[in-house]
Amino acid sequence: MEAVVFDGNKLSLSFEKNYPMPQIINDDDVIVKVHYSGICGTDLHIIQGEFPAIKDRPIALGHESSGVIHAVGKKSMFKVGQKVVIDPNTACNTCDFCRKGNYQYCLTAGINSTIGIWKDGGWAQYVRAPQSQVFALPDGITTEQAGLCEPYSCVSHGFDRASPIKVGEKILILGAGIIGNLWITTLHHHGHREVTVSEMNPTRLDIVKRLDTGYRLVTPDVLAKEKTTYDLIIDCTGVGKVMEISFNYLKEGGKYVLFGCCPPSHTSTLNPFDIYNKELTIIGVKINPFSFPSAISWLKAMGSRYLDYHKLGVKTYRLSQYKDALEDLKKGCVAKAVFKVCD
């Protein structure tokens, strides 16, 4: 089986003898033939040694995957050939966090047991998953569109955490990589029009123009000169220094959503008096607890108006082109790279 494998230090392309096809182990397992599997910013942090992942054996990364059912366990509710998407995260179901519906805080499950980080993931032709983490796609959603379901599920969780977001509020999105673009489509779909997008890479700003939202597009130096304040800031950069600078752009009563995943080494210096005096709210967003159903509903409602790969700046690559995909991401000439694994 062809797979892009991470051994704790580097990526490589492996084949059958080095990376065998997954097998059904439990009666409720399914094997998914992968159609699309995205490269996430978290994957880049893992490859660069900035984010924890399994190190005791090589695995295929990839926690954003869609495809069709290839094989099922004896007790599976799925049928071979069904279009599906995989939720890489789950609960342990025994700790207090999980029993209260907050498995993002779980110390053993959640992001500590993610498919594609701690278990074999979707940068391969086939991947095994328990059926509890697999969702059937309704008619009208393609596996290509569903390749964005996992990041949209994280946006859905962030949207819920930041709500209520009232139409007419002034919103600032920091960073126009793929996550910034998914927030842009989400806000526009929900009726928000008073939105400014800040991005230092002009190529990425050109990509945002394809979405035809009419949002104001600026570079960070413009924000610094304007000193405009906002009701809601959504930081998609994953850069600690950006928060330190942009936190000053919040209005009284404003909310700052820290969405981009910063490496643990990043720090920001904030003024506690400002937080007190302006009654500011800082909102962290960690993975996607129970938000896949919402994301699937969003995909169905948003359709090709928002989910077009070209408009979003998404480019597809074969597994064998993984080096090109990573290089294009580093250059910033694409908002997102997605492996098109099997047709």
Side-chain angles (χ1 to χ4, degrees):
M1 179 178 69
E2 190 177 37
V4 176
V5 177
F6 182 64
D7 66 2
N9 294 300
K10 66 182 187 303
L11 290 176
S12 61
L13 188 67
S14 292
F15 297 94
E16 179 66 34
K17 64 178 182 180
N18 296 319
Y19 198 79
M21 182 169 170
Q23 303 296 317
I24 297 291
I25 297 176
N26 303 307
D27 287 346
D28 62 348
D29 283 345
V30 298
I31 305 295
V32 176
K33 182 179 182 180
V34 180
H35 283 189
Y36 294 88
S37 190
I39 300 178
C40 175
T42 302
D43 295 316
L44 300 181
H45 288 314
I46 290 171
I47 295 166
Q48 294 163 4
E50 299 171 334
F51 195 88
I54 191 171
K55 292 185 178 179
D56 57 357
R57 67 176 180 86
I59 69 164
L61 298 179
H63 56 272
E64 307 172 356
S65 304
S66 64
V68 298
I69 297 293
H70 174 75
V72 299
K74 294 178 181 178
K75 295 182 179 179
S76 176
M77 63 183 180
F78 289 99
K79 305 296 183 184
V80 172
Q82 273 187 288
K83 294 186 301 179
V84 296
V85 65
I86 299 172
D87 182 350
N89 302 305
T90 190
C92 77
N93 295 318
T94 57
C95 74
D96 285 344
F97 293 130
C98 289
R99 288 184 172 186
K100 292 177 181 177
N102 296 313
Y103 71 70
Q104 69 271 35
Y105 309 140
C106 182
L107 301 180
T108 57
I111 203 166
N112 302 297
S113 65
T114 301
I115 293 173
I117 297 180
W118 300 100
K119 303 173 184 177
D120 296 305
W123 293 2
Q125 290 175 297
Y126 298 88
V127 61
R128 180 176 66 90
Q131 69 173 8
S132 60
Q133 290 179 246
V134 177
F135 289 79
L137 293 175
D139 293 339
I141 300 178
T142 66
T143 54
E144 179 181 77
Q145 293 170 334
L148 299 172
C149 193
E150 194 277 341
Y152 264 119
S153 73
C154 295
V155 172
S156 173
H157 177 47
F159 191 88
D160 290 343
R161 294 268 289 144
S163 293
I165 308 173
K166 297 179 181 179
V167 172
E169 289 185 333
K170 293 186 67 174
I171 301 172
L172 172 63
I173 296 175
L174 301 169
I178 188 59
I179 288 299
N181 291 353
L182 298 189
W183 269 102
I184 288 168
T185 55
T186 295
L187 291 171
H188 193 267
H189 180 64
H190 283 81
H192 296 276
R193 298 295 182 266
E194 299 298 318
V195 179
T196 296
V197 181
S198 173
E199 169 60 53
M200 63 188 303
N201 186 329
T203 300
R204 287 186 167 180
L205 287 179
D206 286 339
I207 290 173
V208 176
K209 292 176 184 176
R210 300 176 194 166
L211 293 170
D212 193 28
T213 59
Y215 288 172
R216 191 172 74 109
L217 311 180
V218 300
T219 50
D221 59 307
V222 173
L223 294 180
K225 292 176 183 176
E226 289 180 341
K227 297 182 179 179
T228 302
T229 55
Y230 298 85
D231 299 292
L232 173 65
I233 296 177
I234 303 166
D235 185 350
C236 303
T237 66
V239 179
K241 192 66 177 179
V242 170
M243 181 181 190
E244 183 172 306
I245 295 170
S246 57
F247 200 73
N248 297 309
Y249 304 150
L250 280 175
K251 283 184 178 180
E252 285 74 6
K255 293 179 284 190
Y256 195 102
V257 176
L258 190 60
F259 194 91
C261 180
C262 292
S265 59
H266 284 209
T267 59
S268 296
T269 300
L270 307 178
N271 188 328
F273 180 81
D274 285 342
I275 298 174
Y276 147 78
N277 191 45
K278 297 168 74 174
E279 289 196 337
L280 303 178
T281 301
I282 302 172
I283 300 170
V285 181
K286 187 178 183 182
I287 62 172
N288 58 343
F290 304 109
S291 56
F292 248 70
S294 292
I296 291 172
S297 295
W298 281 12
L299 294 181
K300 188 170 184 179
M302 295 170 91
S304 58
R305 163 66 180 91
Y306 296 102
L307 304 179
D308 181 275
Y309 271 24
H310 173 71
K311 291 179 182 178
L312 288 166
V314 178
K315 184 177 178 180
T316 59
Y317 302 79
R318 293 297 182 183
L319 291 174
S320 59
Q321 297 174 303
Y322 72 93
K323 292 181 180 179
D324 294 333
L326 294 176
E327 187 61 28
D328 286 348
L329 284 172
K330 290 177 182 178
K331 291 178 181 177
C333 55
V334 298
K336 186 174 185 64
V338 172
F339 290 120
K340 185 176 182 181
V341 183
C342 300
D343 296 320

